Amino acid sequence: MNVIPVGIWGGYPKAESATSAFLIEHEGFRVLFDCGSGVLAQVQRYITLDEINAVVISHYHADHVADVGSLQYHHLIAYYTGRPLRKLTFYGHDRDADGFGRLTYKEVAEGHAVSPGETYEIGPFSVTFAETVHPVYCLAARFEADGKTAVFTADTEFHEPLAEFASGADLLVSEANLYEEYKGKSPGHMAGSEAGELARLAGVKRLLLTHLPQDGDVQLILSAAQEAFGGSARLAAAGEVIEV
């Protein structure tokens, strides 16, 4: 399994970049995890839009879904110009009826509802979900294939049950949107030390930090995470291929 950061920012992208999103690849099958602002332009650095096999959406805040419509338009334009593609499948929760409804579009895209407690076979991946702590309903995702596991926290406050959900993962991709002075003061997000503590409790092999703030020195977030985790931790870098 390969994990490729497409974007690493929370809220909005820096120039020529994208909000937090990831490509997850195995056996030629490619899943895009979240599709926020700037993602569609950046993902084409690595694959064509035709090569996206499925999209998993954690929640319906704009920095996670802003480019969904544009991806659907890509498939619609191909359909209208005589190059129809397979129907694009989106996976997301249906707790937000409007957000979930926008995943289905004309003949070219279809939304499938997911929820915790179920296992979904998405290409070669077995995928399960867990609710996070965020101002809106949001799902973390656990991808498993050929004995390897990558867990994505999506947006969340520190939430100890997520450690059980991520238990033993080869890679934990955790949001780390806050500097330590803001820990506990911004609802729905974690500081670096909290991401590190989550990784320590889960006993994961590696920690990758994403959904980073645009201002300040993000190395401070990494240092706090490393100290709390005591294991291998790094900041996500767009385009890096991480073999799980």
Side-chain angles (χ1 to χ4, degrees):
M1 185 192 315
N2 289 329
V3 173
I4 303 172
V6 176
I8 64 172
W9 305 110
Y12 64 93
K14 281 192 173 184
E16 300 181 0
S17 63
T19 54
S20 184
F22 293 82
L23 275 175
I24 307 146
E25 302 179 332
H26 187 60
E27 297 179 346
F29 192 93
R30 298 171 177 90
V31 177
L32 180 62
F33 184 74
D34 282 336
C35 191
S37 182
V39 168
L40 215 60
Q42 294 302 311
V43 77
Q44 292 175 86
R45 294 178 180 270
Y46 318 117
I47 62 173
T48 69
L49 299 183
D50 292 9
E51 293 176 297
I52 297 173
N53 297 104
V55 184
V56 173
I57 299 295
S58 63
H59 65 299
Y60 302 107
H61 275 160
D63 55 332
H64 297 264
V65 296
D67 276 4
V68 164
S70 294
L71 181 55
Q72 292 169 339
Y73 283 168
H74 165 266
H75 277 54
L76 185 65
I77 290 167
Y79 176 82
Y80 283 155
T81 55
R83 193 177 61 86
L85 303 171
R86 65 189 175 280
K87 185 174 285 188
L88 185 61
T89 306
F90 287 87
Y91 296 86
H93 69 75
D94 59 3
R95 294 291 191 94
D96 177 338
D98 289 339
F100 177 72
R102 285 192 289 272
L103 300 182
T104 296
Y105 185 69
K106 296 189 176 182
E107 306 90 347
V108 299
E110 184 173 30
H112 288 252
V114 298
S115 60
E118 302 290 337
T119 299
Y120 301 87
E121 302 302 323
I122 303 176
F125 301 104
S126 291
V127 186
T128 53
F129 297 91
E131 184 179 355
T132 74
V133 179
H134 198 55
V136 300
Y137 191 80
C138 178
L139 294 177
R142 182 181 179 108
F143 286 76
E144 300 184 57
D146 283 351
K148 298 294 185 177
T149 301
V151 174
F152 299 79
T153 68
D155 289 12
T156 186
E157 295 176 20
F158 180 80
H159 182 49
E160 198 162 314
L162 282 180
E164 182 177 352
F165 179 70
S167 179
D170 296 281
L171 178 68
L172 174 62
V173 181
S174 176
E175 80 121 84
N177 194 235
L178 305 177
Y179 293 101
E180 294 303 303
E181 59 265 35
Y182 300 112
K183 184 168 71 174
K185 298 178 181 179
S186 180
H189 295 290
M190 285 192 288
S193 62
E194 293 174 303
E197 176 67 4
L198 185 67
R200 186 189 69 81
L201 291 173
V204 303
K205 293 180 180 177
R206 288 181 287 169
L207 172 63
L208 190 69
L209 303 175
T210 187
H211 208 277
L212 303 172
Q214 291 78 9
D215 299 322
D217 181 2
V218 293
Q219 291 297 323
L220 296 173
I221 290 177
L222 176 59
S223 295
Q226 288 173 326
E227 182 176 356
F229 178 30
S232 174
R234 61 198 300 181
L235 300 172
E240 179 183 19
V241 179
I242 301 162
E243 186 175 344
V244 179

